[in-house]
């Protein structure tokens, strides 16, 4: 079976003549098959260069014809241009073309008009699709390999049928980013409209220098201001300068509500819960309502004033749903005041040293927890720790992005007003605020 591909500029008369010859061959020869590609004149040069480059061919004119040795999309053998195709048809099949010049020009004009109509229809189709745009910076982080598949769970963004996923990584390899795009396509996710690799020419902040971080996130904020819809929601996660990054985004996207930017402290919550659970011999999921205050990637404080434990094997038992205050169960105040903080501080390093990688799974879980709460109604009893912009709550200076307890309702978060700031806690919050104020200046 002969399988050929014919491609050319839509307005090329010789492409029109080759097209007619191909139709004659296909009509007269049952084993002859042709696949035609009509390319708009403005796209032809790049299309031809890319096609020849990927196949190792040399060809510079329209049309181009090649024979496929297997099904379309497989390895191809270059035949050449129109004259080569004509000679092949005459020599192998005894068929030639007698199209005159006027007809060639007329068909070429019709081809271009058809190509432009198809392009207009495609533009209209694309505009009719209104996907949710999800942007991921640092897309080459190991976190994204576990995060991307989970972003398309049905309950995460209810009522939204399609998504466009934008992948970017400052200083990352474009080739590896394209590989991630291909892997994402291979997931065959029904909700995924298209994955897109975004170019980024900025320098990597490998040394986590504040000036480089500031420059990059000012740029990100300006891009959000210029391009994003005003109801955009932004989650900042990571191991360094998380509060500062969120603050810079807010500062450089002034038309977006500051409440739409949050810095994730959920992972710290879960790390504290893990060590509390080990201390109390329960599961991590049995610990709730741990609060993280302050600078998520700097000086922070773990507050247990509302923390509860379920299914604790102690002197008091109750029905399902029965809980006790953690501070009423743990009497080791030295462990609570010093050891717990030390264990949480070392937690990231301990995992990374064992896995030789970032804490991808737990970070992904933290991001998903916040997304679920933000996009769906969470229980008003649930407490989340988020880095959010202060308006002066709890005596925290207004304008600082500060981790504090919040709850979610109807797609919005609000700071919890039912927590107590003692004199002792006030000193710790002041220390966190002092550090953030120095970093921000």
């Amino acid at each position: 079976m002969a399988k050929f591909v014919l491609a050319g500029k839509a307005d090329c008369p010789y492409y029109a003549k080759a097209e007619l010859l191909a139709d004659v061959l296909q009509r007269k020869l049952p084993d002859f098959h042709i696949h035609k590609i009509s390319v708009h004149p403005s796209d032809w040069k790049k299309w031809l260069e890319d096609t020849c480059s990927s196949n190792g061919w040399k060809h510079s004119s329209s049309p181009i014809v090649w024979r496929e040795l297997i099904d379309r999309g497989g390895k191809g053998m270059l035949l050449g241009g129109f004259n080569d195709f004509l000679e092949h048809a005459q020599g192998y099949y005894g068929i030639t073309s007698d199209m005159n010049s006027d007809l060639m020009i007329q068909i070429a004009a019709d081809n271009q008009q058809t190509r432009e109509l198809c392009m207009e229809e495609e533009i209209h189709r694309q505009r009719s699709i209104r996907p949710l745009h999800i942007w991921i910076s640092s897309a080459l982080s190991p976190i994204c390999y576990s995060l991307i598949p989970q972003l398309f769970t049905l309950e995460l963004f209810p009522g939204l049928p399609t998504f466009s996923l934008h992948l970017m990584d400052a200083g990352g390899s474009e080739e590896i980013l394209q590989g991630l795009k291909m892997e994402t396509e291979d997931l065959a996710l029904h909700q995924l409209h298209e994955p897109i690799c975004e170019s980024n020419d900025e320098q990597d902040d490998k040394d986590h220098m504040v000036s480089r971080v500031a420059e990059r996130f000012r740029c990100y904020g300006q891009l959000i201001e210029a391009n994003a819809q005003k109801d955009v929601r932004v989650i900042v996660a990571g191991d360094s300068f998380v509060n500062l990054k969120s603050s810079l985004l807010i500062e450089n996207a002034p038309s977006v509500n500051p409440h739409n930017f949050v810095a994730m402290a959920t992972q710290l919550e879960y790390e504290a819960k893990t060590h509390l659970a080990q201390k109390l011999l329960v599961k991590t999921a049995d610990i709730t309502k741990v609060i993280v205050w302050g600078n998520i990637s700097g000086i922070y404080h773990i507050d247990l004033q509302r923390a509860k434990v379920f299914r604790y094997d102690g002197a008091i038992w109750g029905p399902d749903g029965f809980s006790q205050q953690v501070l009423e169960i743990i009497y080791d105040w030295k462990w609570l005041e010093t050891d717990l903080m030390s264990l949480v501080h070392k937690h990231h390093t301990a995992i990374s040293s064992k896995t030789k990688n970032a804490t991808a799974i737990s970070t992904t879980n933290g991001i998903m927890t916040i997304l679920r709460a933000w996009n769906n109604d969470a229980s008003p009893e649930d407490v989340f720790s988020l880095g959010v912009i202060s308006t002066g709550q709890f005596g925290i200076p207004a304008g600082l992005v500060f981790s504090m307890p919040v709850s979610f309702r109807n797609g919005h978060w609000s700071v919890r007003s039912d927590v107590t700031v003692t004199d002792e806690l006030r000193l710790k919050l002041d220390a966190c605020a002092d550090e953030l104020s120095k970093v921000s200046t």
Side-chain angles (χ1 to χ4, degrees):
M1 181 180 290
K3 297 184 178 181
F4 290 83
V5 178
L6 166 65
K9 287 196 298 180
D11 64 347
C12 173
Y14 288 98
Y15 172 69
K17 192 168 185 177
E19 188 180 21
L20 183 63
L21 176 59
D23 289 342
V24 172
L25 289 168
Q26 188 162 248
R27 189 166 56 249
K28 291 185 175 182
L29 304 170
D31 290 333
F32 182 93
H33 294 277
I34 190 79
H35 173 68
K36 292 178 282 188
I37 303 174
S38 176
V39 182
H40 193 273
S42 62
D43 300 327
W44 170 252
K45 183 178 180 181
K46 184 178 187 309
W47 184 94
L48 182 62
E49 289 175 352
D50 291 345
T51 300
C52 290
S53 175
S54 63
N55 289 281
W57 298 335
K58 290 185 177 180
H59 190 82
S60 58
S61 60
S62 171
I64 180 173
V65 185
W66 69 88
R67 181 171 181 176
E68 292 191 341
L69 304 183
I70 56 175
D71 288 341
R72 181 161 55 89
K75 184 178 179 180
M77 181 177 68
L78 179 65
L79 188 63
F82 170 73
N83 289 333
D84 301 294
F85 184 43
L86 182 62
E87 289 177 9
H88 182 85
Q90 290 173 334
Y92 276 82
Y93 309 116
I95 297 175
T96 189
S97 173
D98 57 358
M99 181 187 293
N100 60 51
S101 299
D102 291 340
L103 184 57
M104 288 169 59
I105 294 171
Q106 178 60 47
I107 293 177
D110 291 344
N111 280 342
Q112 181 169 358
Q113 184 179 12
T114 301
R115 178 70 262 172
E116 289 175 349
L117 285 173
C118 289
M119 291 174 66
E120 289 176 7
E121 289 177 1
E122 177 61 19
I123 291 171
H124 178 73
R125 187 187 71 83
Q126 292 287 347
R127 286 177 177 172
S128 67
I129 299 172
R130 299 183 62 84
L132 173 70
H133 292 270
I134 301 175
W135 289 72
I136 302 179
S137 63
S138 301
L140 297 182
S141 165
I143 295 167
C144 295
Y145 284 86
S146 59
L147 174 63
I148 289 172
Q150 295 192 49
L151 286 174
F152 297 92
T153 52
L154 293 176
E155 74 279 2
L156 193 58
F157 299 99
L160 293 170
T162 56
F163 303 86
S164 285
L165 185 64
H166 301 258
L167 306 169
M168 60 190 298
D169 196 294
S173 164
E174 182 68 24
E175 184 176 0
I176 299 176
L177 203 58
Q178 288 291 337
L180 176 60
K181 174 181 179 288
M182 293 170 66
E183 282 197 84
T184 303
E185 291 170 331
D186 292 343
L187 293 173
L189 299 164
H190 292 292
Q191 289 177 289
L192 180 60
H193 174 54
E194 58 179 342
I196 304 167
C197 291
E198 301 290 347
S199 60
N200 194 316
D201 297 327
E202 295 178 61
Q203 297 297 313
D204 191 13
D205 59 334
K206 293 181 179 178
D207 299 325
H208 299 294
M209 297 298 292
V210 176
S211 59
R212 292 184 180 180
V213 172
E215 180 182 357
R216 179 180 302 171
F217 277 80
R218 286 191 188 100
C219 177
Y220 288 166
Q222 291 162 6
L223 289 172
I224 291 171
E225 174 70 13
N227 300 291
Q229 296 186 20
K230 300 315 173 188
D231 59 352
V232 63
R233 293 177 177 178
V234 181
I235 296 177
V236 181
D239 296 329
S240 60
F241 306 116
V242 177
N243 296 56
L244 175 63
K245 292 172 181 176
S246 185
S247 179
L248 289 166
L249 294 177
I250 293 171
E251 179 184 333
N252 288 277
S255 66
V256 179
N257 189 334
H259 277 61
N260 290 7
F261 297 86
V262 300
M264 193 187 80
T266 316
Q267 190 174 0
L268 284 177
E269 280 185 42
Y270 286 170
E271 290 169 0
K273 290 177 182 180
T274 295
H275 292 289
L276 288 167
Q278 291 172 357
K279 181 74 170 177
L280 295 171
L281 302 178
V282 297
K283 296 187 296 185
T284 303
D286 292 329
I287 306 293
T288 64
K289 300 185 180 180
V290 172
I291 298 171
V292 176
W293 296 91
N295 187 355
I296 297 164
S297 46
I299 297 177
Y300 59 84
H301 174 65
I302 297 171
D303 183 0
L304 304 179
Q305 65 173 281
R306 297 181 60 84
K308 293 184 177 183
V309 56
F310 293 79
R311 288 171 284 279
Y312 173 65
D313 188 8
I316 303 174
W317 279 81
D320 289 344
F322 174 74
S323 65
Q324 300 176 73
Q325 295 290 330
V326 167
L327 292 179
E328 293 178 359
I329 304 298
I330 299 179
Y331 297 102
D332 187 348
W333 288 100
K334 177 183 177 298
W335 185 88
L336 289 173
E337 288 294 318
T338 58
D339 295 354
L340 175 60
M341 286 294 297
S342 177
L343 288 168
V344 174
H345 274 299
K346 296 175 181 177
H347 198 87
H348 266 68
T349 305
I351 294 175
S352 298
S353 66
K354 294 178 184 296
T355 63
K356 309 301 180 185
N357 217 330
T359 53
I361 295 176
S362 57
T363 302
T364 296
N365 182 58
I367 294 171
M368 295 297 293
T369 297
I370 297 304
L371 282 174
R372 288 191 189 97
W374 209 347
N375 293 322
N376 300 276
D377 270 348
S379 169
E381 296 298 316
D382 290 340
V383 178
F384 302 87
S385 298
L386 279 185
V388 299
I389 191 163
S390 169
T391 57
Q393 306 98 323
F394 311 112
I396 299 164
L400 279 185
V401 172
F402 200 93
S403 180
M404 59 183 80
V406 306
S407 57
F408 286 95
R409 192 69 175 171
N410 298 324
H412 301 279
W413 58 261
S414 58
V415 176
R416 305 281 304 210
S417 59
D418 54 352
V419 294
T420 302
V421 177
T422 62
D423 291 341
E424 182 181 2
L425 179 56
R426 163 62 45 219
L427 293 174
K428 293 174 179 176
L429 299 189
D430 288 345
C432 298
D434 287 344
E435 182 189 47
L436 282 170
S437 297
K438 291 175 182 176
V439 172
S440 299
T441 55

PDB file of all heavy atoms in Angstrom, residues 133-136 165-170 172 174 177-178 181 195-201:
ATOM      1  N   HIS A 133      -7.695  28.921  33.494  1.00  0.00           N
ATOM      2  CA  HIS A 133      -6.254  28.922  33.266  1.00  0.00           C
ATOM      3  C   HIS A 133      -5.519  28.711  34.590  1.00  0.00           C
ATOM      4  O   HIS A 133      -5.703  29.481  35.539  1.00  0.00           O
ATOM      5  CB  HIS A 133      -5.809  30.233  32.624  1.00  0.00           C
ATOM      6  CG  HIS A 133      -6.313  30.403  31.222  1.00  0.00           C
ATOM      7  ND1 HIS A 133      -5.615  29.960  30.126  1.00  0.00           N
ATOM      8  CD2 HIS A 133      -7.467  30.929  30.748  1.00  0.00           C
ATOM      9  CE1 HIS A 133      -6.305  30.224  29.027  1.00  0.00           C
ATOM     10  NE2 HIS A 133      -7.439  30.814  29.381  1.00  0.00           N
ATOM     11  N   ILE A 134      -4.727  27.665  34.648  1.00  0.00           N
ATOM     12  CA  ILE A 134      -3.924  27.354  35.833  1.00  0.00           C
ATOM     13  C   ILE A 134      -2.458  27.560  35.463  1.00  0.00           C
ATOM     14  O   ILE A 134      -1.958  26.934  34.525  1.00  0.00           O
ATOM     15  CB  ILE A 134      -4.148  25.904  36.308  1.00  0.00           C
ATOM     16  CG1 ILE A 134      -5.626  25.671  36.639  1.00  0.00           C
ATOM     17  CG2 ILE A 134      -3.276  25.595  37.511  1.00  0.00           C
ATOM     18  CD1 ILE A 134      -5.951  24.232  37.000  1.00  0.00           C
ATOM     19  N   TRP A 135      -1.783  28.436  36.201  1.00  0.00           N
ATOM     20  CA  TRP A 135      -0.369  28.718  35.946  1.00  0.00           C
ATOM     21  C   TRP A 135       0.466  28.110  37.072  1.00  0.00           C
ATOM     22  O   TRP A 135       0.149  28.269  38.254  1.00  0.00           O
ATOM     23  CB  TRP A 135      -0.130  30.229  35.894  1.00  0.00           C
ATOM     24  CG  TRP A 135      -0.690  30.885  34.678  1.00  0.00           C
ATOM     25  CD1 TRP A 135      -2.003  31.111  34.389  1.00  0.00           C
ATOM     26  CD2 TRP A 135       0.046  31.402  33.565  1.00  0.00           C
ATOM     27  NE1 TRP A 135      -2.142  31.735  33.178  1.00  0.00           N
ATOM     28  CE2 TRP A 135      -0.895  31.932  32.644  1.00  0.00           C
ATOM     29  CE3 TRP A 135       1.399  31.475  33.266  1.00  0.00           C
ATOM     30  CZ2 TRP A 135      -0.515  32.527  31.452  1.00  0.00           C
ATOM     31  CZ3 TRP A 135       1.785  32.069  32.065  1.00  0.00           C
ATOM     32  CH2 TRP A 135       0.828  32.583  31.182  1.00  0.00           C
ATOM     33  N   ILE A 136       1.535  27.428  36.691  1.00  0.00           N
ATOM     34  CA  ILE A 136       2.457  26.855  37.671  1.00  0.00           C
ATOM     35  C   ILE A 136       3.853  27.379  37.380  1.00  0.00           C
ATOM     36  O   ILE A 136       4.414  27.121  36.307  1.00  0.00           O
ATOM     37  CB  ILE A 136       2.469  25.315  37.620  1.00  0.00           C
ATOM     38  CG1 ILE A 136       1.068  24.748  37.871  1.00  0.00           C
ATOM     39  CG2 ILE A 136       3.455  24.763  38.633  1.00  0.00           C
ATOM     40  CD1 ILE A 136       1.010  23.234  37.813  1.00  0.00           C
ATOM     41  N   LEU A 165      -3.452  24.471  31.179  1.00  0.00           N
ATOM     42  CA  LEU A 165      -2.377  24.401  32.164  1.00  0.00           C
ATOM     43  C   LEU A 165      -1.133  25.050  31.589  1.00  0.00           C
ATOM     44  O   LEU A 165      -0.598  24.604  30.576  1.00  0.00           O
ATOM     45  CB  LEU A 165      -2.098  22.937  32.526  1.00  0.00           C
ATOM     46  CG  LEU A 165      -1.086  22.678  33.640  1.00  0.00           C
ATOM     47  CD1 LEU A 165      -1.600  23.236  34.961  1.00  0.00           C
ATOM     48  CD2 LEU A 165      -0.808  21.192  33.761  1.00  0.00           C
ATOM     49  N   HIS A 166      -0.670  26.140  32.223  1.00  0.00           N
ATOM     50  CA  HIS A 166       0.512  26.870  31.773  1.00  0.00           C
ATOM     51  C   HIS A 166       1.699  26.490  32.654  1.00  0.00           C
ATOM     52  O   HIS A 166       1.655  26.660  33.874  1.00  0.00           O
ATOM     53  CB  HIS A 166       0.271  28.378  31.842  1.00  0.00           C
ATOM     54  CG  HIS A 166      -0.889  28.845  31.020  1.00  0.00           C
ATOM     55  ND1 HIS A 166      -0.737  29.463  29.798  1.00  0.00           N
ATOM     56  CD2 HIS A 166      -2.230  28.761  31.241  1.00  0.00           C
ATOM     57  CE1 HIS A 166      -1.938  29.763  29.308  1.00  0.00           C
ATOM     58  NE2 HIS A 166      -2.848  29.345  30.161  1.00  0.00           N
ATOM     59  N   LEU A 167       2.765  25.994  32.032  1.00  0.00           N
ATOM     60  CA  LEU A 167       3.936  25.511  32.755  1.00  0.00           C
ATOM     61  C   LEU A 167       5.105  26.459  32.490  1.00  0.00           C
ATOM     62  O   LEU A 167       5.453  26.725  31.343  1.00  0.00           O
ATOM     63  CB  LEU A 167       4.303  24.101  32.294  1.00  0.00           C
ATOM     64  CG  LEU A 167       3.177  23.065  32.374  1.00  0.00           C
ATOM     65  CD1 LEU A 167       3.575  21.780  31.655  1.00  0.00           C
ATOM     66  CD2 LEU A 167       2.816  22.773  33.823  1.00  0.00           C
ATOM     67  N   MET A 168       5.710  26.953  33.547  1.00  0.00           N
ATOM     68  CA  MET A 168       6.866  27.831  33.397  1.00  0.00           C
ATOM     69  C   MET A 168       7.883  27.514  34.485  1.00  0.00           C
ATOM     70  O   MET A 168       7.535  27.032  35.570  1.00  0.00           O
ATOM     71  CB  MET A 168       6.453  29.305  33.458  1.00  0.00           C
ATOM     72  CG  MET A 168       5.777  29.734  34.742  1.00  0.00           C
ATOM     73  SD  MET A 168       5.060  31.392  34.640  1.00  0.00           S
ATOM     74  CE  MET A 168       6.512  32.382  34.332  1.00  0.00           C
ATOM     75  N   ASP A 169       9.161  27.747  34.166  1.00  0.00           N
ATOM     76  CA  ASP A 169      10.221  27.510  35.139  1.00  0.00           C
ATOM     77  C   ASP A 169      11.400  28.402  34.791  1.00  0.00           C
ATOM     78  O   ASP A 169      12.091  28.164  33.800  1.00  0.00           O
ATOM     79  CB  ASP A 169      10.643  26.039  35.148  1.00  0.00           C
ATOM     80  CG  ASP A 169      11.443  25.680  36.386  1.00  0.00           C
ATOM     81  OD1 ASP A 169      12.577  26.208  36.520  1.00  0.00           O
ATOM     82  OD2 ASP A 169      10.948  24.919  37.222  1.00  0.00           O
ATOM     83  N   ALA A 170      11.606  29.442  35.579  1.00  0.00           N
ATOM     84  CA  ALA A 170      12.686  30.391  35.317  1.00  0.00           C
ATOM     85  C   ALA A 170      14.028  29.672  35.422  1.00  0.00           C
ATOM     86  O   ALA A 170      14.347  29.052  36.425  1.00  0.00           O
ATOM     87  CB  ALA A 170      12.641  31.537  36.330  1.00  0.00           C
ATOM     88  N   GLY A 172      14.907  27.051  33.970  1.00  0.00           N
ATOM     89  CA  GLY A 172      14.794  25.622  33.702  1.00  0.00           C
ATOM     90  C   GLY A 172      15.024  25.317  32.232  1.00  0.00           C
ATOM     91  O   GLY A 172      14.962  26.185  31.369  1.00  0.00           O
ATOM     92  N   GLU A 174      14.261  24.276  28.630  1.00  0.00           N
ATOM     93  CA  GLU A 174      13.080  24.285  27.768  1.00  0.00           C
ATOM     94  C   GLU A 174      12.748  22.872  27.295  1.00  0.00           C
ATOM     95  O   GLU A 174      11.580  22.498  27.172  1.00  0.00           O
ATOM     96  CB  GLU A 174      13.332  25.200  26.564  1.00  0.00           C
ATOM     97  CG  GLU A 174      12.159  25.324  25.606  1.00  0.00           C
ATOM     98  CD  GLU A 174      10.963  26.053  26.216  1.00  0.00           C
ATOM     99  OE1 GLU A 174      11.167  26.840  27.172  1.00  0.00           O
ATOM    100  OE2 GLU A 174       9.839  25.829  25.734  1.00  0.00           O
ATOM    101  N   LEU A 177      11.039  21.041  30.061  1.00  0.00           N
ATOM    102  CA  LEU A 177       9.692  21.593  30.211  1.00  0.00           C
ATOM    103  C   LEU A 177       8.764  21.025  29.123  1.00  0.00           C
ATOM    104  O   LEU A 177       7.607  20.696  29.398  1.00  0.00           O
ATOM    105  CB  LEU A 177       9.755  23.117  30.127  1.00  0.00           C
ATOM    106  CG  LEU A 177       8.621  23.916  30.781  1.00  0.00           C
ATOM    107  CD1 LEU A 177       8.515  23.595  32.260  1.00  0.00           C
ATOM    108  CD2 LEU A 177       8.841  25.404  30.587  1.00  0.00           C
ATOM    109  N   GLN A 178       9.293  20.901  27.910  1.00  0.00           N
ATOM    110  CA  GLN A 178       8.495  20.289  26.838  1.00  0.00           C
ATOM    111  C   GLN A 178       8.198  18.824  27.154  1.00  0.00           C
ATOM    112  O   GLN A 178       7.120  18.305  26.844  1.00  0.00           O
ATOM    113  CB  GLN A 178       9.249  20.392  25.501  1.00  0.00           C
ATOM    114  CG  GLN A 178       9.300  21.794  24.907  1.00  0.00           C
ATOM    115  CD  GLN A 178       7.939  22.268  24.424  1.00  0.00           C
ATOM    116  OE1 GLN A 178       7.044  21.495  24.136  1.00  0.00           O
ATOM    117  NE2 GLN A 178       7.783  23.586  24.342  1.00  0.00           N
ATOM    118  N   LYS A 181       5.352  18.761  29.489  1.00  0.00           N
ATOM    119  CA  LYS A 181       4.129  19.012  28.716  1.00  0.00           C
ATOM    120  C   LYS A 181       3.652  17.729  28.033  1.00  0.00           C
ATOM    121  O   LYS A 181       2.456  17.393  28.062  1.00  0.00           O
ATOM    122  CB  LYS A 181       4.393  20.105  27.684  1.00  0.00           C
ATOM    123  CG  LYS A 181       3.241  20.354  26.707  1.00  0.00           C
ATOM    124  CD  LYS A 181       3.630  21.442  25.718  1.00  0.00           C
ATOM    125  CE  LYS A 181       2.527  21.704  24.703  1.00  0.00           C
ATOM    126  NZ  LYS A 181       2.393  20.612  23.736  1.00  0.00           N
ATOM    127  N   PRO A 195      -2.083  21.771  27.569  1.00  0.00           N
ATOM    128  CA  PRO A 195      -0.938  22.212  28.376  1.00  0.00           C
ATOM    129  C   PRO A 195      -0.058  23.126  27.531  1.00  0.00           C
ATOM    130  O   PRO A 195       0.128  22.887  26.331  1.00  0.00           O
ATOM    131  CB  PRO A 195      -0.223  20.897  28.701  1.00  0.00           C
ATOM    132  CG  PRO A 195      -0.571  19.983  27.572  1.00  0.00           C
ATOM    133  CD  PRO A 195      -1.880  20.450  26.992  1.00  0.00           C
ATOM    134  N   ILE A 196       0.458  24.191  28.120  1.00  0.00           N
ATOM    135  CA  ILE A 196       1.226  25.190  27.386  1.00  0.00           C
ATOM    136  C   ILE A 196       2.524  25.456  28.131  1.00  0.00           C
ATOM    137  O   ILE A 196       2.526  25.685  29.345  1.00  0.00           O
ATOM    138  CB  ILE A 196       0.439  26.511  27.258  1.00  0.00           C
ATOM    139  CG1 ILE A 196      -0.926  26.267  26.595  1.00  0.00           C
ATOM    140  CG2 ILE A 196       1.233  27.547  26.474  1.00  0.00           C
ATOM    141  CD1 ILE A 196      -1.879  27.431  26.716  1.00  0.00           C
ATOM    142  N   CYS A 197       3.642  25.413  27.408  1.00  0.00           N
ATOM    143  CA  CYS A 197       4.927  25.796  27.994  1.00  0.00           C
ATOM    144  C   CYS A 197       5.125  27.285  27.774  1.00  0.00           C
ATOM    145  O   CYS A 197       5.011  27.767  26.647  1.00  0.00           O
ATOM    146  CB  CYS A 197       6.071  25.013  27.349  1.00  0.00           C
ATOM    147  SG  CYS A 197       6.075  23.257  27.746  1.00  0.00           S
ATOM    148  N   GLU A 198       5.423  28.000  28.846  1.00  0.00           N
ATOM    149  CA  GLU A 198       5.621  29.440  28.767  1.00  0.00           C
ATOM    150  C   GLU A 198       7.101  29.756  28.866  1.00  0.00           C
ATOM    151  O   GLU A 198       7.800  29.250  29.741  1.00  0.00           O
ATOM    152  CB  GLU A 198       4.865  30.151  29.901  1.00  0.00           C
ATOM    153  CG  GLU A 198       3.375  29.889  29.898  1.00  0.00           C
ATOM    154  CD  GLU A 198       2.655  30.547  28.734  1.00  0.00           C
ATOM    155  OE1 GLU A 198       3.268  31.402  28.066  1.00  0.00           O
ATOM    156  OE2 GLU A 198       1.485  30.199  28.498  1.00  0.00           O
ATOM    157  N   SER A 199       7.593  30.603  27.948  1.00  0.00           N
ATOM    158  CA  SER A 199       9.004  30.985  27.976  1.00  0.00           C
ATOM    159  C   SER A 199       9.255  31.931  29.128  1.00  0.00           C
ATOM    160  O   SER A 199       8.399  32.706  29.526  1.00  0.00           O
ATOM    161  CB  SER A 199       9.402  31.657  26.659  1.00  0.00           C
ATOM    162  OG  SER A 199       8.636  32.819  26.454  1.00  0.00           O
ATOM    163  N   ASN A 200      10.461  31.862  29.670  1.00  0.00           N
ATOM    164  CA  ASN A 200      10.843  32.718  30.793  1.00  0.00           C
ATOM    165  C   ASN A 200      12.343  32.913  30.722  1.00  0.00           C
ATOM    166  O   ASN A 200      13.095  31.948  30.825  1.00  0.00           O
ATOM    167  CB  ASN A 200      10.438  32.083  32.125  1.00  0.00           C
ATOM    168  CG  ASN A 200      10.512  33.077  33.279  1.00  0.00           C
ATOM    169  OD1 ASN A 200      11.462  33.830  33.383  1.00  0.00           O
ATOM    170  ND2 ASN A 200       9.510  33.054  34.128  1.00  0.00           N
ATOM    171  N   ASP A 201      12.770  34.143  30.532  1.00  0.00           N
ATOM    172  CA  ASP A 201      14.191  34.405  30.330  1.00  0.00           C
ATOM    173  C   ASP A 201      14.901  34.876  31.584  1.00  0.00           C
ATOM    174  O   ASP A 201      16.065  35.265  31.536  1.00  0.00           O
ATOM    175  CB  ASP A 201      14.375  35.484  29.252  1.00  0.00           C
ATOM    176  CG  ASP A 201      13.836  35.025  27.917  1.00  0.00           C
ATOM    177  OD1 ASP A 201      13.923  33.815  27.647  1.00  0.00           O
ATOM    178  OD2 ASP A 201      13.335  35.875  27.160  1.00  0.00           O
TER     179      ASP A 201
END
